[in-house]
Amino acid sequence: METSRTIVFRKPITAGAGAGARTYDSVTLREPLAGDYETAEKNAGKYGLVVALIATVSGVPIDAVDQMYGSQIEEAEDFFAVFAEGVSPTEKRSDDEMTLPLQQPVKLTEDDTGLNAASLDLSEPTNLQRRKARAAGGPFAASIALISDVAKVPRKTVRAMCARDFLTAVGYFNGFQIGRRPGSDD
């Protein structure tokens, strides 16, 4: 799996004015972290989520990213989509509990603290947990809050999760939206 990609612009893009103007020849993308989705969600405004995510992940100002061609934005969107492939099976209801081994363990400190995690213990959230999570903001902020609450880890830890792990946890929670059939052994 490709974990970074550089998109070279067909012609240089300049953002800013006067002495503060900078010219960019490309953007280099990497696998987003959960916190990158949250930041992009907050900054999407008039630009849209994908443009804000490109800016967040690449460090290139959003005004410059906004000048990219549509086909290049779509290339970036396709790159980001790879990290979501296969993480949310829709045909089967999620198990009541699961341990999610992290593909990229979170290590925020050198000592053994609750900020570091190699796996998350997840379970079906209560209505109260879902309600509190929704108060955190948009869908990504709410997902971070819900994972944090259910797994009993700090939000800072969840924000540091790679896209594949974060989206797998989100997919697990989405699996509870699939109804139980009367008479089934689910």
Side-chain angles (χ1 to χ4, degrees):
M1 171 185 291
E2 180 184 21
T3 58
S4 68
R5 179 179 296 174
T6 298
I7 299 174
V8 178
F9 301 143
R10 292 184 210 138
K11 55 185 176 181
I13 294 174
T14 301
R22 269 195 75 193
T23 301
Y24 300 89
D25 296 326
S26 64
V27 291
T28 299
L29 307 174
R30 59 164 170 74
E31 179 177 5
L33 301 176
D36 295 330
Y37 289 110
E38 182 181 38
T39 299
E41 181 174 69
K42 289 177 186 174
N43 296 330
K46 67 181 180 182
Y47 300 101
L49 182 67
V50 175
V51 169
L53 186 58
I54 294 168
T56 300
V57 167
S58 70
V60 172
I62 200 165
D63 291 343
V65 174
D66 194 37
Q67 296 179 55
M68 290 172 63
Y69 290 109
S71 60
Q72 293 175 319
I73 301 291
E74 288 175 17
E75 180 181 350
E77 188 172 22
D78 290 345
F79 170 74
F80 294 138
V82 167
F83 302 108
E85 288 178 0
V87 300
S88 184
T90 56
E91 68 280 349
K92 181 179 173 271
R93 184 175 169 83
S94 292
D95 293 334
D96 291 342
E97 296 178 347
M98 78 169 278
T99 296
L100 173 64
L102 301 181
Q103 294 181 48
Q104 290 185 351
V106 174
K107 185 148 177 68
L108 297 176
T109 64
E110 292 302 317
D111 53 346
D112 188 21
T113 71
L115 291 173
N116 301 325
S119 64
L120 297 178
D121 291 325
L122 301 175
S123 62
E124 181 173 7
T126 65
N127 187 64
L128 176 62
Q129 289 171 317
R130 284 191 180 277
R131 192 169 45 79
K132 284 182 176 180
R134 281 191 297 271
F140 290 110
S143 293
I144 288 170
L146 186 60
I147 294 166
S148 171
D149 189 20
V150 171
K152 296 177 181 36
V153 297
R155 287 185 189 184
K156 185 174 186 175
T157 300
V158 178
R159 287 183 180 107
M161 291 170 59
C162 74
R164 289 168 286 157
D165 293 331
F166 173 65
L167 296 173
T168 299
V170 170
Y172 170 74
F173 289 133
N174 288 342
F176 292 107
Q177 304 306 317
I178 299 169
R180 294 182 189 259
R181 293 185 318 262
S184 75
D185 60 356
D186 292 354

